[in-house]
Structure formats: structure tokens, C-alpha cells
Amino acid sequence: HVQLVESGGGSVQAGGSLRLSCVVSGYAYSSMCMGWLRQAPGKEREGVASITYYDSTTNYADSVKGRFTISIDNTKDIVYLQMNSLKPEDTAMYYCAAVAVAPRCDLFTNFNGWGQGTQVTVS
């Protein structure tokens, strides 16, 4: 089954940037749907961005459009989330997620593989 390992979180000041990475191992099918989700303390988990493995079609939450970019390096099986112009409200635990096959690949996809999470704190 798929294994996901995130890295790249940290603490930054508002307006700063971070790049999260998610290494995919176990399997990486071209049909896969990948996503980044986040959960802040006391809040529900929310989808941030999604991307399809075979053609890199992307979707973004309105709150991050124009600031975050999701991408895939298929040769290395790494999914990135470039986060620019960070705001305090972006503070959360960020999770990489995957599913081998999905009827649709978007922020509401029923992912079944999860990483351990990486903390992002914006002050």
C-alpha cells in the first residue's frame, strides 16, 4: 500500500514562504489522486489542494488560490506544495493524502492513504 512522508514544515512570519514535500512510495499509479489537507486546532480538516498524477490537473481551496501551488515530480514520486504569502490563518498541521483511483480528484476526494503530517506555523 502507499506510504507518504511529508517534510518542509516550520515556523515563518506572515508574508513568508514554505515548500512542503511528500515522498510517495509503495506504489505510484498514473491514476492516483494526490492532495494536501490541513487541520488547525479546534477546526475540521479541510482540503487545500489536489492534483492528478497522470495530467497534473489541480484544484485549490479559495482561501489559498493565487498563493499556493501543488505540483508533482513524477520521476521522483514527490508531491510539492509551494506556499507563498503565508498568513497566520494558514497555521495548521498539513497532511499529504492519496488514493489510487477516484471518480473525481478534488478537495473532497475520499483519500485512503495519509502521511504523518507536518506542522506549519505562521506568526
Side-chain angles (χ1 to χ4, degrees):
H1 66 102
V2 67
Q3 294 179 325
L4 307 172
V5 179
E6 305 101 328
S7 63
S11 297
V12 295
Q13 292 187 337
S17 298
L18 285 173
R19 188 177 76 162
L20 306 184
S21 299
C22 173
V23 177
V24 183
S25 61
Y27 67 76
Y29 300 140
S30 62
S31 60
M32 283 176 64
C33 173
M34 303 294 301
W36 284 98
L37 298 90
R38 66 186 181 187
Q39 187 165 20
K43 295 187 177 181
E44 292 188 354
R45 187 172 59 200
E46 63 172 344
V48 174
S50 66
I51 188 167
T52 55
Y53 232 81
Y54 75 99
D55 68 357
S56 296
T57 298
T58 59
N59 286 281
Y60 295 95
D62 288 342
S63 59
V64 306
K65 282 181 181 177
R67 300 189 298 122
F68 290 12
T69 303
I70 188 171
S71 61
I72 289 180
D73 184 336
N74 299 81
T75 62
K76 299 179 180 179
D77 289 330
I78 301 176
V79 181
Y80 299 102
L81 185 67
Q82 177 67 44
M83 305 185 297
N84 299 327
S85 301
L86 282 161
K87 304 175 180 180
E89 51 263 46
D90 295 318
T91 295
M93 184 71 79
Y94 283 71
Y95 297 92
C96 178
V99 62
V101 179
R104 51 188 288 180
C105 182
D106 57 25
L107 304 181
F108 307 100
T109 295
N110 188 20
F111 298 104
N112 59 12
W114 296 86
Q116 82 287 352
T118 185
Q119 178 68 38
V120 172
T121 302
V122 185
S123 59

